[in-house]
Amino acid sequence: MQIRHATHPDDLALLDSAELKDRFLLGDLFVPGEASLVYSHHDRMILGGAVPLEGAPITLEAPDDLRAEYFLERRELAAVAVGAGGAITVDGTRFELANKDVLYVGRGAREVVFEATGPDSAFFLASATSHTSFPTTLVPLAEALTSETGDKATANERTVYKHLHDEGVRTSQLVLGITALKPGSVWNSMPPHTHDRRTEVYLYMDLPEEHRVQHFMGEPSDLRPLAMKNRDGVISPSWSVHFGAGSTNYSFVWVMAGENQSFADMDQLAVTQLG
Ligand SMILES: O=C(O)C(=O)C[C@H](O)C(=O)CO
Ligand SMILES: [Zn+2]
């Protein structure tokens, strides 16, 4: 498991592009046949990818750095099917996931096994520390809270699906959903915002190989871009904006952990306040 230490906003200006990527970009999470994990000291989130191959399931192990008997001894987990789907078995109970379905796994689950049910099974993993145990629950895309936002005229028309939120399945910290940009729309998270009470991670997906999303982070007055390819993730510390524009439309998973679980708790910014 990679360890990423926390970054003070004043340090951002000192980082060159390679150092910026080393701190915040989550590349190579999806390695065929493996589970890959990154531990961020921003709200102690663990982000990862699990890519089981047909006939070769992957069991989620507790890395040594956790000093835990099993991965979910003190943690909760969300697994998002970012590929064609697949199955996850939690302590003997098997859940089948289709693309963009989410499985929430509560603290205390001892064995989590990822299984391919066809080609391109891939799961994005997001975990936060948890003080208590909430039931493991499947949230299919069709059961997510859905809202339409943005505008075609400003190229940011999109559907926001909320799978894990404070009016739905109980979690200790995790708030998670998926946003899908409509064809012709490219800007996400407009108007931009920060939320000093939560760290947020974006995982870009459904982005053809020849396209990129330019993701912007940093304090509003001092933005830094990161070029994101399909299935790249990016860590946004609580002090950072997080928005981007693609060379085509795309989707992304967003997941937060921290002080509260209120999606609406955002410090909104006008576009004119940026840069
Ligand atoms: O496109 C959007 O707007 C988003 O999806 C915003 C994220 O959900 C977010 O940043 C929540 O804090
Ligand atoms: Zn946000």
Side-chain angles (χ1 to χ4, degrees), residues 37-263:
L37 298 172
V38 175
Y39 187 111
S40 169
H41 279 268
H42 287 287
D43 283 303
R44 294 190 180 273
M45 293 177 82
I46 296 179
L47 297 317
V51 187
L53 301 176
E54 286 174 272
I58 295 173
T59 300
L60 185 63
E61 306 289 354
D64 285 346
D65 293 300
L66 289 190
R67 300 288 192 273
E69 201 186 319
Y70 54 97
F71 189 89
L72 294 173
E73 190 179 318
R74 299 181 297 271
R75 294 189 152 265
E76 59 184 0
L77 173 74
V80 186
V82 295
I88 306 177
T89 302
V90 180
D91 290 339
T93 304
R94 191 168 181 274
F95 300 88
E96 292 238 9
L97 281 76
N99 178 251
K100 296 186 177 61
D101 290 351
V102 174
L103 183 69
Y104 171 76
V105 188
R107 171 182 166 149
R110 283 185 166 258
E111 192 185 57
V112 181
V113 182
F114 301 97
E115 187 195 328
T117 51
D120 192 30
S121 269
F123 299 96
F124 172 55
L125 311 179
S127 170
T129 57
S130 174
H131 63 289
T132 191
S133 182
F134 291 115
T136 293
T137 310
L138 178 65
V139 186
L141 178 66
E143 287 176 23
L145 206 61
T146 302
S147 59
E148 301 297 329
T149 190
D151 199 332
K152 200 174 182 171
T154 43
N156 59 16
E157 197 180 22
R158 57 204 193 275
T159 307
V160 179
Y161 300 95
K162 296 184 189 124
H163 294 70
L164 304 178
H165 54 89
D166 60 358
E167 291 163 32
V169 168
R170 294 281 316 269
T171 70
S172 289
Q173 292 199 60
L174 291 172
V175 179
L176 181 147
I178 294 173
T179 296
L181 280 285
K182 304 263 194 214
S185 281
V186 295
W187 284 98
N188 73 67
S189 314
M190 276 285 148
H193 64 270
T194 56
H195 27 67
D196 215 14
R197 289 142 300 279
R198 297 180 303 285
T199 296
E200 183 155 7
V201 173
Y202 280 7
L203 188 277
Y204 287 101
M205 61 180 180
D206 300 333
L207 185 66
E209 189 43 50
E210 66 275 22
H211 287 280
R212 292 290 181 269
V213 174
Q214 298 298 328
H215 177 92
F216 293 90
M217 65 169 303
E219 289 186 298
S221 59
D222 195 10
L223 299 181
R224 301 290 303 270
L226 283 157
M228 313 289 294
K229 63 177 177 2
N230 191 41
R231 296 186 186 169
D232 275 350
V234 57
I235 299 166
S236 299
S238 53
W239 43 263
S240 176
V241 294
H242 37 284
F243 66 94
S247 48
T248 185
N249 66 319
Y250 53 91
S251 310
F252 64 100
V253 180
W254 46 267
V255 56
M256 299 184 270
E259 182 71 28
N260 66 10
Q261 296 187 299
S262 169
F263 182 87

